[in-house]
Amino acid sequence: MDTIASLFSFITTPVSWVIVQFHTVYGAIFGPDTGWAWGLSIVSLVILIRICLIPLFVKQIKATRAMQTLQPEMKKIQERYKNDKQRQSEEMMKLYKDAGTNPLSSCLPILAQSPFFFALYHVLNGIASGDTIGVINSSLLESARKAHIFGAPLAAKFRDSSSTIDALGASVTDVRVVTVVMIVLMSASQFYTQRQLMTKNVDTTVKTPFMQQQKMLMYVFPIMFAFFGINFPVGVLVYWLTTNVWTMGQQMYVIHNNPTPGSKAQGSYLERLTKHVTQHGGTRRRGEKAIIKAIVAKGRDRNEAERKFINSLNKAGLAAQADGTVVKSETQAEAQTEEGAAAAKRQQPKRQSKSQRQSGVAKSEGAAMSLEKTDEPQDAEPAAKKTAQPGSGNRSKAQSGQRKGPQRPKSPSKK
């Protein structure tokens, strides 16, 4: 490790200068000889480096997604030219050139960060050995050697002997407990970052060897961190733990806002985007427009989540445009207008109150009774006509106004 670090000694002076500048600021707050001042200086160095690497991280995302889309074509080339390695390599390079990517693009942030990592290791190793390095003079060297993080000196290692640790003013137990905890956190953060990438941000519609490689790295990287971590000084562990936590947060942000097409994260993102667009009637952020533009450009090649997104917009009366904007659909607006006119025609009367319904019932009953009274004389004459038929007997006579029983003979008139 010391030999590798010496290869990057040309960047040792800039790294040590940045640490000293941050130490000046934090030393005025927490004290120049405290672990907070030196520890926060290392954390600030990590944040500064990672901010500068954001453009490379964006290129890494694009390169990784391009490699994922090329996996089926790469597999065909490997099967077609499995007996001709030279032709296989030529076809691979041609495929990379046409797609505008290459396998090394996904490793750019790690490669760019490596010189700073080894330069910091070189600086901390010099502090442990008591050598001035870069812009760190003897007074700063003495201050750094006194700095402890939870009882462990910045320059102490897990495998240091008790005499070396005693010379730094600490105990073996404190150093090993702190280093083990930091190594576990460092490995766990790396494992979670890789697992999050595999479970949420991988295209599940295409089964490729790339997925198997990522799954293998998910278990290999934590083991590598645990193996090399016991040889790192505490200050380097602070650096590496901070950069792992930054990577984990950065990965979560990308998965939440710009997921890989075909992944589970894309389905969740498009559901949130559907609710946002239907509520506001359009898009506002540039990232949303870029994603919608890519979905529209796919046409029939859209995956299930993307088709569901387009159909949801159509049902809401919206239409995604080629430039990424969302506008109100004209056909849907016409259909809504026609439905509104039809609904107005068959509009039902307003609902009456209870008192109004009771008064209405009373009026209807009174009207029915009056109709019955007026109908009675009209019904009597037909009834009398019906009873006046031949063969009706005494009953017809009674109804015509005559008395029942035998009739008295009329008395003879007097002449």
Side-chain angles (χ1 to χ4, degrees), residues 38 62 76 135 187 197 200 211 263:
W38 285 99
K62 294 180 179 179
K76 292 179 182 178
V135 298
S187 301
L197 181 66
K200 294 183 179 180
M211 297 177 63
S263 62

Side-chain angles (χ1 to χ4, degrees), residues 17 26 77 91 115 168 206 234 276 293 305 339:
W17 183 84
Y26 294 121
I77 292 174
E91 292 294 328
L168 295 173
V206 180
V234 173
H276 173 76
K293 181 179 179 181
E339 289 179 0

Side-chain angles (χ1 to χ4, degrees), residues 222-280:
I223 296 174
M224 291 177 59
F225 278 118
F227 178 77
F228 290 110
I230 60 177
N231 298 311
F232 289 161
V234 173
V236 175
L237 292 178
V238 172
Y239 174 91
W240 208 248
L241 176 60
T242 306
T243 193
N244 278 4
V245 172
W246 177 282
T247 302
M248 182 175 64
Q250 193 170 245
Q251 186 72 43
M252 291 175 65
Y253 176 81
V254 171
I255 291 175
H256 188 269
N257 294 284
N258 192 14
T260 301
S263 62
K264 293 181 180 179
Q266 189 197 29
S268 302
Y269 174 81
L270 291 180
E271 288 180 2
R272 298 193 305 269
L273 184 59
T274 302
K275 293 180 181 179
H276 173 76
V277 172
T278 52
Q279 288 177 358
H280 297 87

Side-chain angles (χ1 to χ4, degrees), residues 9-248:
S9 58
F10 64 92
I11 203 174
T12 300
T13 300
V15 169
S16 61
W17 183 84
V18 173
I19 292 177
V20 168
Q21 300 307 311
F22 282 122
H23 175 262
T24 303
V25 176
Y26 294 121
I29 300 173
F30 302 102
D33 300 333
T34 60
W36 286 104
W38 285 99
L40 289 175
S41 299
I42 297 173
V43 171
S44 300
L45 173 66
V46 175
I47 295 173
L48 179 62
I49 292 172
R50 296 308 299 266
I51 290 175
C52 295
L53 293 178
I54 287 178
L56 292 179
F57 180 75
V58 174
K59 290 184 178 180
Q60 179 193 19
I61 295 175
K62 294 180 179 179
T64 303
R65 293 184 179 177
M67 291 297 296
Q68 288 176 347
T69 57
L70 292 179
Q71 287 296 321
E73 298 297 329
M74 292 169 61
K75 190 174 182 180
K76 292 179 182 178
I77 292 174
Q78 291 173 353
E79 293 176 353
R80 185 180 301 173
Y81 305 103
K82 58 182 178 180
N83 297 324
D84 190 352
K85 299 297 181 182
Q86 183 177 358
R87 182 65 184 278
Q88 185 181 118
S89 301
E90 292 176 356
E91 292 294 328
M92 287 287 190
M93 295 303 296
K94 183 179 178 181
L95 181 64
Y96 294 150
K97 185 177 180 180
D98 294 340
T101 184
N102 60 78
L104 294 178
S105 299
S106 59
C107 302
L108 284 176
I110 297 176
L111 295 175
Q113 189 178 346
S114 298
F116 299 96
F117 168 76
F118 287 112
L120 178 62
Y121 179 87
H122 196 48
V123 170
L124 295 174
N125 192 51
I127 293 173
S129 59
D131 299 330
T132 57
I133 187 170
V135 298
I136 297 179
N137 52 31
S138 57
S139 61
L140 291 172
L141 178 63
E142 187 65 24
S143 174
R145 289 175 66 86
K146 292 179 181 179
H148 291 64
I149 296 178
F150 302 108
L154 289 176
K157 305 174 186 177
F158 180 87
R159 300 182 63 182
D160 283 346
S161 61
S162 57
S163 59
T164 302
I165 295 176
D166 291 339
L168 295 173
S171 65
V172 177
T173 303
D174 292 339
V175 171
R176 292 186 177 177
V177 169
V178 171
T179 52
V180 167
V181 171
M182 295 183 73
I183 289 171
V184 170
L185 293 176
M186 186 172 62
S187 301
S189 60
Q190 178 65 35
F191 176 80
Y192 180 79
T193 301
Q194 199 68 23
R195 186 177 183 275
Q196 186 179 228
L197 181 66
M198 284 295 301
T199 56
K200 294 183 179 180
N201 207 37
V202 173
D203 187 357
T204 56
T205 59
V206 180
K207 304 295 183 181
T208 62
F210 180 79
M211 297 177 63
Q212 298 297 328
Q213 295 174 4
Q214 292 293 324
K215 188 176 181 179
M216 182 180 64
L217 293 176
M218 181 172 65
Y219 296 99
V220 170
F221 274 146
I223 296 174
M224 291 177 59
F225 278 118
F227 178 77
F228 290 110
I230 60 177
N231 298 311
F232 289 161
V234 173
V236 175
L237 292 178
V238 172
Y239 174 91
W240 208 248
L241 176 60
T242 306
T243 193
N244 278 4
V245 172
W246 177 282
T247 302
M248 182 175 64

